[in-house]
Amino acid sequence: LTQMLIFYWDSTGYITVPEACALFNVDRDTIYNRCKWYNIPKKTKGKNVIISIEGLRKVFGTGNIAINNVNKPAIAAHE
């Protein structure tokens, strides 16, 4: 069975590094390197580093299709 991953990010549009790794299917070093190379906004939230999802999408593309539009309402097939 295929496992569906669901991520929840806050309204500021940031996700954690493990979420970014799963979303774009890369390791954490790749995430950190791209953040540095492309100046993707990141900040700390408690003990976690959170990274701009829009900045990541500009570099990596849309990511995993299963969670690509998690914040957008679903459109019915007949519409």
Side-chain angles (χ1 to χ4, degrees), residues 72-79:
K72 296 181 183 177
I75 298 174
H78 64 280
E79 291 184 350

Side-chain angles (χ1 to χ4, degrees), residues 8-64:
Y8 299 97
W9 51 81
D10 60 13
S11 61
T12 60
Y14 283 75
I15 60 174
T16 64
V17 174
E19 289 172 336
C21 293
L23 176 61
F24 299 106
N25 196 28
V26 295
D27 63 10
R28 64 183 289 279
D29 290 338
T30 301
I31 296 292
Y32 283 114
N33 288 336
R34 295 304 189 279
C35 286
K36 183 177 180 179
W37 185 260
Y38 293 100
N39 295 318
I40 299 172
K42 65 180 181 173
K43 54 189 175 183
T44 57
K45 185 175 183 180
K47 64 177 185 172
N48 298 316
V49 174
I50 56 176
I51 303 170
S52 166
I53 185 68
E54 290 305 317
L56 289 169
R57 283 187 170 159
K58 287 178 183 176
V59 173
F60 290 104
T62 57
N64 185 339

